[in-house]
Amino acid sequence: MVAQTELAEYLDEIRQNVCSRCVERPEGGPPCMPLGKMCGVEMHLADLVESVHQVRSNRIDPYLKRDRQEICEKCAFLHSGICPCPMDYLAVLVVEAIENVDKRRAISRGAVNSEGEAIENADPCPGQASNEQAFDLEEIRRVYREATGTWTGCDWPTVTGKTGLNLQGWTAAQARTMARIVQVEDWRLASDWLAQIEHHARLAEKRAAEALKAASEGRWRDALVNAEWAWSLEFTTGRAFRHGQPLAWQRLRDVIEAAYLAHEVADISSTDTLS
């Protein structure tokens, strides 16, 4: 477990680079709990840092799964209908903040070389960087086109309510109509749930479009954040566990993440060369 005295730097990094992006942050926060807003990061910071330390991956899924196993299962708000944790849609920023602190500490104690792996990579040939970026964008646009419109609502089998409704293929509007006709509470609840799923799908597609736009403009970090948003919105509906492959936004997240990492290494290599 992370010592209490070591948490301050992690908390400062998260507040600087993550909390500013949180859509649930109350005016005047952070800290948010004194303002009446329960925050999963503030509640479980030590466990969250420890959870991130147990994973090493270029993908966000392993971090999310680890959090669910080590933090969510022990949280007092589990199954309460109120989740105070922003990890699902801010996961990539939280992990990045924690690992940035770890990297600074490792450099300061001489455990790693500040030049990193980039020094081992040969400088790209003239024109190679621009050609690689063009290839990245071509692949990202192709994946985006293939995913667009493939997820608009509940497209997996369900057993919902006391009557065990299977809502696969149903829309919120159709469920509302059924609720009026048959006067069964399960259909009213189903319409609310389906509306939430449809809202997530629309928001995910909007985020995916913003990711593509950012990538086209060379803003790779923004592209990755938006791609993570799109995938997290899909992931948190449970679609990833119930719907067979292919999923809508996982592949887009993967190709943007690969492009982001490649361009980050190239930028470091270029900086080292100039210095």
Side-chain angles (χ1 to χ4, degrees), residues 6-19 30-31 41-42 45 49 97-98 101 105:
E6 297 179 353
L7 291 177
E9 187 176 359
Y10 290 109
L11 184 58
D12 288 344
E13 184 80 14
I14 289 173
R15 284 179 171 170
Q16 180 177 350
N17 296 304
V18 181
C19 296
V41 170
E42 294 177 2
L45 179 61
V49 173
I98 292 171
V101 172
R105 289 178 174 177

Side-chain angles (χ1 to χ4, degrees), residues 49-88:
V49 173
E50 183 66 22
S51 177
V52 170
H53 285 169
Q54 297 304 312
V55 179
R56 285 292 180 270
S57 177
N58 289 331
R59 301 179 59 173
I60 202 64
D61 296 22
Y63 293 97
L64 290 172
K65 290 178 180 178
R66 181 80 184 188
D67 286 344
R68 281 170 170 75
Q69 294 170 359
E70 299 298 322
I71 301 175
C72 299
E73 289 297 324
K74 304 172 186 175
C75 183
F77 289 91
L78 183 66
H79 305 312
S80 70
I82 302 173
C83 177
C85 188
M87 268 296 291
D88 282 330

Side-chain angles (χ1 to χ4, degrees), residues 172-265:
Q174 290 170 335
R176 282 194 294 271
T177 299
M178 284 296 296
R180 289 194 296 269
I181 294 173
V182 301
Q183 296 294 305
V184 174
E185 178 68 5
D186 280 357
W187 280 109
R188 185 189 66 78
L189 296 175
S191 69
D192 292 341
W193 181 77
L194 287 167
Q196 184 179 34
I197 298 298
E198 291 165 12
H199 175 71
H200 273 65
R202 289 191 299 272
L203 185 56
E205 190 149 323
K206 178 181 178 182
R207 286 287 181 173
E210 291 173 356
L212 176 62
K213 183 175 185 293
S216 300
E217 296 172 354
R219 295 183 288 109
W220 291 105
R221 187 172 184 277
D222 289 342
L224 178 59
V225 168
N226 279 292
E228 289 285 1
W229 260 89
W231 167 234
S232 294
L233 284 162
E234 183 177 9
F235 187 88
T236 55
T237 65
R239 188 173 188 259
F241 301 104
R242 302 179 181 91
H243 186 277
Q245 298 288 342
L247 296 172
W249 302 116
Q250 183 176 14
R251 176 61 180 158
L252 181 71
R253 188 280 312 272
D254 289 347
V255 295
I256 288 181
E257 185 178 57
Y260 166 78
L261 293 172
H263 284 275
E264 186 177 60
V265 169

Side-chain angles (χ1 to χ4, degrees), residues 114-125 129 261-275:
S114 61
E115 294 177 345
E117 295 180 355
I119 197 171
E120 300 175 5
N121 297 318
D123 292 335
C125 297
L261 293 172
H263 284 275
E264 186 177 60
V265 169
D267 289 344
I268 294 172
S269 179
S270 175
T271 300
D272 289 345
T273 300
L274 292 174
S275 61

Side-chain angles (χ1 to χ4, degrees), residues 122-136:
D123 292 335
C125 297
Q128 181 178 342
S130 59
N131 289 336
E132 289 179 352
Q133 180 165 343
F135 176 78
D136 290 341

